[in-house]
Amino acid sequence: MFDRLSSQNPKASFASRAGATPYHRRESFIPEAKRWKQFKWLIYDNNGSYNGWFDWLPVWMRIGYFHPFVIVSLMFFYSAIYWYRPQPLHFDATVYDETISGNEVDSCWGIIPKTAAADLTIFLWGIIVVAHAKLTLGSIGAFPISFTGWSWLLLSLRAGIEFAAWAATTHKFLALGKFLATIGSSIRLVAVTNACVVCTVWNFILLPIIYFFSIPASQREKRRSFIKFNFSFFMTNIHILNFPMAIINTVYGSQIRLFTLSDLWVAYLVIMLYSIVYYFIMDRLGMHFYPIFCPRSAFCVGSIIAVLGLYYYLFLKWNELILSRI
């Protein structure tokens, strides 16, 4: 029919009055006025590199669709967090129980138990380090949304909450003391494991990658400045001292306890929450702190599985260490 029409009137226009069809080009059926409202993955027009920090990464690692294997693995992981939650979640209120029983005999100056004093020190030191960085560096940049930042926050919070639990229980606010002790107890495993992972991964994987691949060998002064910054007061605390701080009163101390599957579930939950921030906020900003977790590469699936396996392995090893000390 169309052949006959075109032969009768070769100059005729055949614009469809029925609207766009699936065979039209996309631009033909998206109204001109609405095209600017189309969803864009990158929040800033920065070619996937926030402030140019990640120009050293190949463009394909910064821009483009997530690999299908990564999408499937993330969906499976997120679903497993929901379906395999221990029923019920249980965390021993160790600080509360020990305070009520009066088993804590070691004290500092006869005023405060050594465990509570250690927790208070860790909590205050965590605040001091961040405040010092803010004052001396002027800005701590992306620290609050980095995995290192989360790790530092968790180990400081764990110590602060368990100190508050001791203080509340001592002053007869028993319900509050037990609640705080339970919350603090629930993040013991994730606090010590995150600190261990940050200390290990930064010093033995990421630092060499940045030093040898991000900074050209010809820029010796820049490399020297990077090493100086890496061993500054702030970086030494959050990447080296964080681990020994985290093991106090979690796997070493008089109020330690064995970890359970509930603790492991909380650790995996924190990983899930951070992956959401990393893949769906930071990636859109152009922040790619951890190239081994690039969602545009199938190898990312291996990295995700390795991290989950590492957390389970450390879960077992912490319990072995704790058993040897109880």
Side-chain angles (χ1 to χ4, degrees):
M1 180 181 73
F2 288 108
D3 290 339
R4 290 198 302 271
L5 287 173
S6 60
S7 62
Q8 294 172 4
N9 185 9
K11 297 183 179 180
S13 173
F14 299 111
S16 173
R17 295 182 180 180
T21 71
Y23 305 100
H24 285 67
R25 293 176 60 190
R26 186 182 181 194
E27 288 80 7
S28 68
F29 60 82
I30 297 179
E32 186 72 30
K34 293 184 179 180
R35 289 180 191 173
W36 65 274
K37 296 181 180 180
Q38 294 179 56
F39 177 79
K40 292 183 178 180
W41 182 254
L42 292 178
I43 295 175
Y44 300 116
D45 186 16
N46 57 10
N47 207 28
S49 178
Y50 187 81
N51 282 345
W53 293 349
F54 304 95
D55 289 347
W56 59 280
L57 284 175
V59 175
W60 68 266
M61 295 182 71
R62 298 184 268 127
I63 300 175
Y65 295 109
F66 286 14
H67 196 283
F69 288 169
V70 176
I71 295 174
V72 171
S73 64
L74 289 177
M75 291 175 62
F76 179 80
F77 175 44
Y78 296 166
S79 300
I81 289 293
Y82 176 78
W83 289 111
Y84 293 98
R85 182 172 70 92
Q87 298 288 348
L89 287 171
H90 176 74
F91 309 97
D92 291 334
T94 310
V95 172
Y96 172 84
D97 293 337
E98 292 292 323
T99 304
I100 289 294
S101 65
N103 291 335
E104 185 71 53
V105 294
D106 293 332
S107 62
C108 295
W109 309 292
I111 300 174
I112 180 174
K114 287 185 178 180
T115 53
D119 282 339
L120 177 60
T121 302
I122 292 169
F123 175 66
L124 293 177
W125 187 252
I127 296 174
I128 290 171
V129 168
V130 175
H132 179 271
K134 179 66 177 176
L135 293 173
T136 57
L137 301 177
S139 171
I140 52 177
F143 176 72
I145 60 173
S146 68
F147 191 76
T148 300
W150 281 40
S151 171
W152 189 259
L153 175 65
L154 281 169
L155 74 88
S156 301
L157 274 179
R158 196 283 312 162
I161 291 172
E162 294 207 301
F163 169 76
W166 168 81
T169 305
T170 300
H171 290 85
K172 307 304 179 185
F173 295 99
L174 301 183
L176 177 61
K178 188 171 184 178
F179 172 75
L180 291 174
T182 302
I183 296 300
S185 180
S186 71
I187 59 176
R188 284 187 175 192
L189 176 64
V190 68
V192 67
T193 305
N194 279 13
C196 177
V197 170
V198 166
C199 182
T200 304
V201 172
W202 173 260
N203 290 297
F204 299 103
I205 298 178
L206 291 179
L207 190 151
I209 288 176
I210 295 173
Y211 183 83
F212 289 107
F213 296 100
S214 174
I215 307 174
S218 58
Q219 299 183 10
R220 295 181 180 179
E221 186 59 36
K222 192 172 183 180
R223 282 189 170 186
R224 194 176 296 110
S225 298
F226 172 72
I227 291 298
K228 182 179 179 181
F229 172 71
N230 184 69
F231 290 99
S232 63
F233 175 80
F234 179 58
M235 297 292 280
T236 299
N237 272 276
I238 65 175
H239 285 145
I240 299 177
L241 298 182
N242 62 326
F243 184 37
M245 288 172 60
I247 67 175
I248 297 174
N249 289 342
T250 56
V251 294
Y252 279 97
S254 61
Q255 295 185 355
I256 58 177
R257 65 168 179 83
L258 288 172
F259 297 123
T260 66
L261 290 179
S262 293
D263 298 290
L264 184 63
W265 183 84
V266 169
Y268 284 153
L269 177 65
V270 171
I271 294 175
M272 185 197 77
L273 294 175
Y274 188 76
S275 72
I276 292 173
V277 172
Y278 187 73
Y279 288 131
F280 303 105
I281 297 178
M282 294 173 64
D283 190 86
R284 296 184 62 199
L285 292 170
M287 294 182 175
H288 312 280
F289 291 157
Y290 315 107
I292 60 174
F293 294 101
C294 173
R296 296 166 182 86
S297 168
F299 291 106
C300 176
V301 178
S303 298
I304 293 172
I305 294 174
V307 166
L308 298 180
L310 175 62
Y311 271 63
Y312 182 72
Y313 173 79
L314 290 174
F315 162 72
L316 298 177
K317 289 302 177 181
W318 297 140
N319 275 345
E320 288 183 12
L321 180 61
I322 292 169
L323 275 174
S324 68
R325 301 186 61 82
I326 292 180

